[in-house]
């Protein structure tokens, strides 16, 4: 997955960087996970790179003073399950992964289990689950989860969707959205799907 990320980002930087650095503007260096992935690129491309990174489920932090852009890509896994339980010794037990339902307009109860690694370091990291219909409309939205990732940037949580009416046939998507005090807008950092219909 990291290779696909880097390929897309490097393609953009090569195309954008060739035209802009020739004009003599400031130079930008791009880092991901502490590793430099682009040595020199025109700083006027910072907004375009940030938009691309956001659309790919990551965060980009550009410091104009140093010319450094740091890309943070959280690793997010989401499971859609019939049930999730935690035993007394803190073991998490999953039951029946959901791939789909045959009929629409039936209230369904299911759970989403989310595991996050490499989250941005933040005092106030917010996460939210959103169920999207096949038509692209929000069907249901979970509560806003709040974490501090200053000491640990890995965590997990689960959230039930109770008696949710799935009114259309097609593919439903559960999106995991994230933001921090530094990145004010929610970014879709992960998703999983299930179908309704035969």
């Amino acid at each position: 997955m990291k290779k696909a990320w880097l390929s897309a980002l490097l393609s953009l930087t090569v195309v954008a960087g060739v035209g802009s650095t020739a004009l003599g503007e400031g130079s930008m260096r791009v880092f991901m996970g502490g590793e430099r992935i682009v040595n020199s690129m025109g700083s006027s491309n910072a907004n375009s790179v940030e938009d691309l990174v956001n659309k790919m489920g990551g965060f980009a932090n550009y410091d104009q003073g140093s010319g450094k852009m740091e890309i943070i890509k959280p690793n997010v896994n989401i499971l859609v399950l019939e049930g999730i339980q935690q035993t007394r010794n803190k073991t998490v037990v999953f039951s029946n992964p959901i791939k789909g339902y045959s009929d629409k307009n039936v209230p369904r109860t299911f759970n989403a289990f989310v595991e996050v690694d490499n989250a941005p370091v933040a005092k106030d990291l917010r996460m939210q689950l959103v169920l999207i219909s096949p038509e692209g409309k929000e069907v249901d939205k979970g509560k806003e989860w709040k974490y501090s990732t200053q000491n640990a940037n890995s965590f997990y949580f689960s959230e039930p969707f109770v008696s949710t009416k799935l009114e259309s046939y097609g593919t439903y998507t559960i999106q995991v959205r994230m933001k921090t005090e530094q990145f004010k807008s929610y970014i879709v950092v992960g998703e999983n799907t299930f179908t309704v219909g035969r």
Side-chain angles (χ1 to χ4, degrees):
M1 178 130 168
K2 187 173 179 181
K3 287 183 182 179
W5 248 84
L6 294 176
S7 296
L9 185 61
L10 289 174
S11 296
L12 173 77
T13 57
V14 168
V15 171
V18 169
S20 58
T21 53
L23 300 175
E25 66 178 67
S27 181
M28 177 174 68
R29 297 163 294 133
V30 182
F31 293 78
M32 184 170 178
E35 178 183 336
R36 185 183 291 195
I37 59 174
V38 176
N39 286 330
S40 181
M41 175 172 134
S43 60
S44 65
N45 297 309
N47 288 339
S48 297
V49 174
E50 285 181 22
D51 289 343
L52 177 65
V53 169
N54 290 163
K55 286 183 172 99
M56 295 176 74
F59 299 91
N61 184 18
Y62 177 55
D63 179 2
Q64 286 183 325
S66 68
K68 180 179 178 181
M69 176 180 280
E70 181 69 36
I71 296 173
I72 303 158
K73 174 63 175 104
N75 184 13
V76 178
N77 294 313
I78 179 169
L79 300 172
V80 183
L81 305 150
E82 200 172 275
I84 301 171
Q85 296 177 335
Q86 190 168 15
T87 64
R88 288 184 184 169
N89 66 356
K90 304 289 184 191
T91 301
V92 179
V93 179
F94 303 127
S95 60
N96 299 335
I98 294 172
K99 294 182 179 169
Y101 299 105
S102 58
D103 295 319
K104 65 177 184 174
N105 291 323
V106 177
R108 304 288 183 180
T109 297
F110 51 91
N111 291 270
F113 177 82
V114 179
E115 179 185 31
V116 179
D117 291 315
N118 303 321
V121 176
K123 184 169 66 174
D124 184 18
L125 181 129
R126 304 286 174 115
M127 304 219 30
Q128 191 169 47
L129 297 179
V130 180
L131 179 63
I132 307 292
S133 74
E135 298 82 23
K137 298 178 183 171
E138 288 187 6
V139 175
D140 200 357
K141 192 181 285 189
K143 74 175 193 172
E144 189 175 65
W145 295 80
K146 181 179 177 181
Y147 294 93
S148 171
T149 54
Q150 292 176 311
N151 296 324
N153 63 354
S154 296
F155 55 91
Y156 65 87
F157 67 94
S158 63
E159 184 163 2
F161 287 82
V162 179
S163 297
T164 303
K165 200 167 185 183
L166 307 172
E167 298 178 345
S168 302
Y169 286 119
T171 301
Y172 284 79
T173 303
I174 298 181
Q175 293 181 339
V176 181
R177 298 180 180 176
M178 180 186 287
K179 69 178 180 176
T180 71
E181 66 272 7
Q182 187 175 4
F183 305 102
K184 300 295 185 189
S185 299
Y186 270 113
I187 302 294
V188 177
V189 294
E191 58 185 31
N192 200 346
T193 60
F194 62 89
T195 57
V196 174
R198 296 179 176 86

